[in-house]
Amino acid sequence: MEKNFSQWKKQCLNKLDLSLKGSVDQDIAHIVSLLNGCDEFFTTSSCSGRITIIDAVPDSSGIQKQNCAWLFVSHAKCTLDDLMASLDKSTGDAVLKFEPFVLHVQCRRLEDAQLMHSVAVESGFRNSGLTVGKTGKIITAVRCTHGLEVPLTLKGHLLVSHQYIDFLCHMANAKMEENFRRIDRFYQNLQSSLASRSVHKHDLPQAQEPEVLPDSRAAAEGDSGELEKRSPTSVYRRRRKQRQQTDGCHGDSGGSTSVSELDDCLDLFA
């Protein structure tokens, strides 16, 4: 699977762009570049979002590219004059469309696709999804239902008023603005998620465990605490502690007099 993914990526990035524009939209070039620069991803198709007027051939079965004339295409906001000039060329059934940002990304592993899907949903592209093909290809589609589609002419005759077309123009432009805001959020969230995952991939320094005292030292401290509680000769014990601290041998097992021997002496006084 790893070898296949590398081959698919090389073939996809080296082939000609067959879209009408023939290149990646400028407003999402930074996103495409970021993903194609990662080992885990590559983009297969994309569109930053567009406002179009498409003129369909009358009596054709469905709206298909081969039966359509593209009267107007813009990846930015439009004006009323743009739309009216385009509609003057209509001889069929013209439809105004706003199509939001869409991005198809092939992923190396399922967890990579899940990361991409999470980033998309978090950024407002809530109609996004992922699929696994029979060949093992894992594709994430970043998309939303933030679209618009309105018929404007029938056999070249305008169906609506100029005022209504002006209203549609403002609506399409508002959707385009929201579209760009979501694209910005998607890029920021994608950068953050990729950076976070990159940090986790590297071995972080292990936290040092607290030093464990030798058994003899721990036992000495434990016995000393017990003597404080049960022995009446507190003055003798305090003097003994002071001598041990001064000698710098507190808890050392190599001293000439052991703690257990001192405990025996203290029991005599008790």
Side-chain angles (χ1 to χ4, degrees):
M1 183 61 67
E2 295 289 324
K3 184 178 180 181
N4 288 341
F5 180 85
S6 299
Q7 292 176 343
W8 293 332
K9 181 171 184 176
K10 184 177 180 180
Q11 292 171 358
C12 182
L13 297 184
N14 289 336
K15 72 179 182 181
L16 293 175
D17 189 333
L18 300 179
S19 65
L20 290 175
K21 185 178 180 182
S23 62
V24 176
D25 295 338
Q26 182 179 357
D27 290 310
I28 58 171
H30 57 307
I31 295 176
V32 172
S33 178
L34 175 62
L35 289 170
N36 289 336
C38 297
D39 293 335
E40 300 85 359
F41 309 101
F42 67 90
T43 61
T44 59
S45 64
S46 63
C47 178
S48 63
R50 62 190 180 186
I51 299 170
T52 62
I53 295 180
I54 302 175
D55 203 28
V57 175
D59 302 324
S60 63
S61 56
I63 299 179
Q64 300 177 359
K65 288 184 179 180
Q66 61 267 28
N67 296 324
C68 296
W70 295 74
L71 302 181
F72 178 77
V73 180
S74 175
H75 295 277
K77 293 192 291 186
C78 63
T79 66
L80 176 61
D81 290 341
D82 293 332
L83 301 184
M84 295 306 305
S86 300
L87 289 172
D88 287 342
K89 305 173 189 176
S90 173
T91 58
D93 303 338
V95 177
L96 170 70
K97 288 186 177 183
F98 168 74
E99 298 170 293
F101 168 65
V102 63
L103 179 69
H104 292 92
V105 184
Q106 188 163 333
C107 308
R108 185 180 292 272
R109 294 174 294 267
L110 183 59
E111 52 266 35
D112 301 323
Q114 290 169 337
L115 180 145
M116 185 64 56
H117 175 69
S118 297
V119 170
V121 172
E122 182 183 358
S123 305
F125 299 100
R126 304 193 182 282
N127 198 40
S128 301
L130 60 90
T131 59
V132 180
K134 293 181 179 179
T135 60
K137 292 183 178 180
I138 306 171
I139 305 291
T140 301
V142 180
R143 61 196 176 199
C144 66
T145 56
H146 188 62
L148 176 68
E149 182 171 348
V150 182
L152 297 179
T153 68
L154 178 64
K155 297 181 180 181
H157 299 288
L158 195 63
L159 297 174
V160 296
S161 67
H162 288 205
Q163 183 179 6
Y164 185 70
I165 295 174
D166 183 49
F167 167 75
L168 293 177
C169 180
H170 284 86
M171 179 180 290
N173 287 338
K175 286 181 176 291
M176 184 65 81
E177 290 178 356
E178 174 60 25
N179 180 64
F180 286 138
R181 282 192 289 269
R182 295 186 188 189
I183 289 175
D184 289 340
R185 286 200 301 270
F186 177 77
Y187 180 63
Q188 296 298 329
N189 292 337
L190 180 62
Q191 277 189 314
S192 178
S193 296
L194 292 177
S196 177
R197 188 174 67 167
S198 178
V199 169
H200 287 300
K201 277 186 176 181
H202 295 83
D203 291 332
L204 297 175
Q206 298 294 327
Q208 294 183 354
E209 295 185 359
E211 182 181 358
V212 179
L213 295 172
D215 291 343
S216 58
R217 184 174 179 182
E221 291 180 349
D223 291 342
S224 175
E226 288 297 319
L227 287 173
E228 287 286 347
K229 295 179 181 179
R230 60 189 176 88
S231 176
T233 56
S234 57
V235 175
Y236 177 86
R237 280 187 278 100
R238 284 197 297 271
R239 289 177 180 175
R240 175 172 60 83
K241 286 183 180 180
Q242 291 172 357
R243 286 198 303 270
Q244 289 174 330
Q245 292 171 355
T246 303
D247 294 340
C249 299
H250 177 68
D252 291 344
S253 58
S256 58
T257 304
S258 67
V259 175
S260 59
E261 291 172 342
L262 290 174
D263 287 344
D264 292 338
C265 294
L266 289 173
D267 287 339
L268 294 175
F269 285 100

